[in-house]
Amino acid sequence: MLSNYGKIAVDSLWHNNPILVQLLGLCPLLAVSSTFINSLGLGIATTLVLIGSNVTVSMIRHKVKQELRIPIFVMVIASFVTIVELAMNAYLHELYKILGIFIPLIVTNCVIIARAEAFASKNDMKSSFIDGLTMGLGFTFILLLLGSMREIIGQGTLFSQAHLMFGEGFREMQVTLISDYSGFLLAILPPGAFIGIGLLIALRNVIEQKRKARLARQPVLPVAEHNQA
Amino acid sequence: MDIKLLKQNMLAAGKALAIFAVVASALVALTYQITKNQIAANERESLLKSLHVLVDKDQHDNDMYVDNITLSVPKLNYRDNPITIYRARQNGKPVAAIFNVTSPKGYSGPIKLLIAIDNNDTVIGVRVISHKETPGLGDAIDIEKSDWIRVFEGRSLSNPTEKGWRVKKDGGEFDQITSATITPRAIVKTTLQTLQYYTAHKQQVFAKSQGEKDAQ
């Protein structure tokens, strides 16, 4: 049986994945996911903000009045986004230049306020930390999937421009999967992102349906009955 | 609810918001202080890196990051913003000027360029700093994607003459990019205008900048 934290993690990554199930944060997702490295950059930045805001919101949840919580959550989130933005500008300057406007726009990513409101304001700090971390990872995971898909189909490479994130030594990390590939523009342009995310959501639904059908065929276990009671 | 209670509630809410605002700003200010120098250094390094692609480190001995001038040139200004010119000097003598100009008429927005011209009025090179051209078509102006942008190297106002400063489709000497004529057309035009300005106003380009005058 899964521990409470394990359950939060499974929820964030699969049952309640921020993108595939909650359909939150699609704007930065669609805009930035043109390559693997861009996706990784935005994913990490978003995860950091999510953890920071979840922990802070959970910490102050008893001190904030009901009617004041939304403006205060917004303030907490905006501060964390600014801090992450400054830190990226200082320590990951090249990547910062590429992601540009999408770093400050993390503030508008609904995943963050949604988790603050739906989870962190009702749970203790440790659970909120786990929720922020795993929701961030769930977001990053889908970003990376979409980024890889679009990069491979769009330009036939993977991990291009890795040096922007890890330094000059990683320039060689780029894998050219299809040589002499002239590129498939649709995948790089925004429609490619929409089609890609549509396919990913469909794939998740197919897997989920099969899983449910399999569960339905199995006889109900005594343990489950006990739990229900 | 009576007025007194309402006032009390409002005051308490205001206080709570103010406290959070102060703490949040303090955190942001602290981060700003910590990262400030690193960010300034990054911007400097990043700019010098792109300038040194055009004018080699060995060819000048001044600090181009500081030695720049901002001029208002009606033909080159973008949305009435003056342009910045970085000057390379060796032993105090002008070696080259690098213009940071914006070509307003790209296919899908302005194209920011660095145009380096040497003391003999010859183009050393042109590089695109930022653009919004279509990936796979117009983005061939980016040196990372294709060598097209090097067509300007060694060109001047006499090579070719003014009529030749167009893309081939318009009867000029410069190759266009397959399926993208508007993008190269914009860059050719801006490069020509920059070259014309530089050739006619070299004194102004290498004049002492505002900052230097103040320092004297």
Side-chain angles (χ1 to χ4, degrees):
Chain A
M1 186 159 163
L2 286 169
S3 70
N4 193 23
Y5 299 131
K7 195 172 164 297
I8 295 173
V10 173
D11 243 23
S12 308
L13 292 170
W14 183 258
H15 296 302
N16 202 15
N17 184 290
I19 294 171
L20 295 184
V21 182
Q22 303 180 65
L23 299 184
L24 292 174
L26 291 186
C27 162
L29 172 87
L30 297 172
V32 170
S33 62
S34 55
T35 68
F36 183 92
I37 293 296
N38 287 1
S39 299
L40 188 60
L42 189 80
I44 291 174
T46 309
T47 306
L48 289 177
V49 174
L50 252 173
I51 294 174
S53 82
N54 258 13
V55 169
T56 315
V57 164
S58 170
M59 189 166 68
I60 60 176
R61 73 186 186 282
H62 296 307
K63 299 183 185 71
V64 176
K65 277 192 189 163
Q66 198 63 7
E67 8 359 312
L68 277 181
R69 66 184 200 290
I70 296 294
I72 287 181
F73 291 173
V74 171
M75 207 142 65
V76 167
I77 295 167
S79 315
F80 273 108
V81 171
T82 314
I83 289 170
V84 167
E85 187 199 356
L86 286 169
M88 279 190 83
N89 192 351
Y91 306 113
L92 288 171
H93 192 66
E94 294 294 314
L95 191 67
Y96 170 82
K97 281 201 293 188
I98 288 188
L99 294 178
I101 188 71
F102 292 101
I103 302 283
L105 277 183
I106 291 175
V107 84
T108 66
N109 189 332
C110 321
V111 174
I112 296 160
I113 188 105
R115 292 329 287 170
E117 171 71 7
F119 194 94
S121 66
K122 301 184 182 87
N123 290 282
D124 62 281
M125 274 171 70
K126 204 170 165 195
S127 309
S128 299
F129 172 82
I130 304 281
D131 182 74
L133 175 70
T134 51
M135 278 289 165
L137 289 179
F139 181 76
T140 309
F141 175 61
I142 304 300
L143 255 175
L144 289 180
L145 263 183
L146 195 59
S148 319
M149 267 166 68
R150 290 177 70 192
E151 191 180 339
I152 293 170
I153 300 172
Q155 51 190 56
T157 61
L158 197 57
F159 312 126
S160 66
Q161 297 182 307
H163 61 284
L164 297 183
M165 189 145 188
F166 305 113
E168 274 307 310
F170 286 84
R171 197 180 271 276
E172 303 302 317
M173 206 171 128
Q174 173 171 339
V175 186
T176 307
L177 296 166
I178 315 165
S179 49
D180 285 337
Y181 187 59
S182 56
F184 184 54
L185 200 51
L186 180 69
I188 301 171
L189 294 176
F194 277 101
I195 296 170
I197 194 67
L199 291 174
L200 286 178
I201 293 173
L203 181 69
R204 185 201 170 274
N205 287 351
V206 168
I207 296 174
E208 189 62 17
Q209 267 172 11
K210 284 203 172 142
R211 198 180 68 93
K212 279 200 178 127
R214 204 171 52 233
L215 280 180
R217 258 185 272 123
Q218 281 170 353
V220 181
L221 297 170
V223 182
E225 269 177 319
H226 178 74
N227 274 353
Q228 274 168 357
Chain B
M1 193 193 281
D2 76 281
I3 299 287
K4 212 175 172 187
L5 197 64
L6 189 69
K7 267 189 185 164
Q8 263 179 8
N9 276 344
M10 280 169 66
L11 214 61
K15 268 185 199 158
L17 270 179
I19 292 169
F20 274 104
V22 167
V23 174
S25 337
L27 281 176
V28 171
L30 181 73
T31 317
Y32 173 74
Q33 283 301 328
I34 296 170
T35 53
K36 193 173 62 176
N37 292 337
Q38 185 65 38
I39 291 173
N42 286 344
E43 273 162 8
R44 180 194 153 88
E45 196 189 333
S46 165
L47 176 74
L48 282 179
K49 209 168 135 193
S50 46
L51 294 180
H52 281 145
V53 168
L54 293 164
V55 177
D56 202 74
K57 267 184 207 154
D58 313 334
Q59 287 173 332
H60 72 99
D61 56 8
N62 63 329
D63 182 354
M64 281 196 281
Y65 185 76
V66 183
D67 194 352
N68 65 64
I69 189 167
T70 306
L71 291 174
S72 182
V73 184
K75 267 195 171 175
L76 293 173
N77 290 353
Y78 177 65
R79 292 192 179 154
D80 294 331
N81 288 321
I83 56 166
T84 304
I85 304 164
Y86 301 93
R87 288 91 57 97
R89 302 175 204 261
Q90 182 84 289
N91 302 322
K93 285 191 184 123
V95 174
I98 304 179
F99 284 72
N100 184 352
V101 288
T102 303
S103 186
K105 287 189 175 161
Y107 183 68
S108 34
I111 303 169
K112 285 191 185 170
L113 298 167
L114 283 179
I115 301 175
I117 307 171
D118 72 12
N119 208 25
N120 303 320
D121 306 340
T122 307
V123 177
I124 300 171
V126 180
R127 287 292 179 277
V128 174
I129 330 174
S130 77
H131 70 86
K132 298 191 182 75
E133 303 307 290
T134 323
L137 299 172
D139 73 345
I141 54 173
D142 190 337
I143 191 81
E144 301 257 327
K145 310 272 169 165
S146 91
D147 269 348
W148 179 82
I149 199 76
R150 307 189 85 130
V151 293
F152 297 105
E153 288 171 16
R155 301 290 189 159
S156 67
L157 282 185
S158 54
N159 170 31
T161 52
E162 197 175 338
K163 269 193 175 171
W165 274 90
R166 291 174 190 168
V167 291
K168 281 185 180 156
K169 203 174 181 181
D170 299 340
E173 285 201 12
F174 294 95
D175 282 329
Q176 54 256 18
I177 296 168
T178 316
S179 313
T181 316
I182 294 171
T183 312
R185 194 183 274 153
I187 297 180
V188 169
K189 191 177 171 202
T190 304
T191 309
L192 172 66
Q193 285 174 338
T194 307
L195 198 51
Q196 282 170 336
Y197 175 79
Y198 175 81
T199 311
H201 301 89
K202 217 186 283 183
Q203 292 276 314
Q204 264 166 286
V205 169
F206 284 100
K208 290 215 181 262
S209 63
Q210 206 61 46
E212 284 171 285
K213 268 182 201 157
D214 290 345
Q216 279 173 351

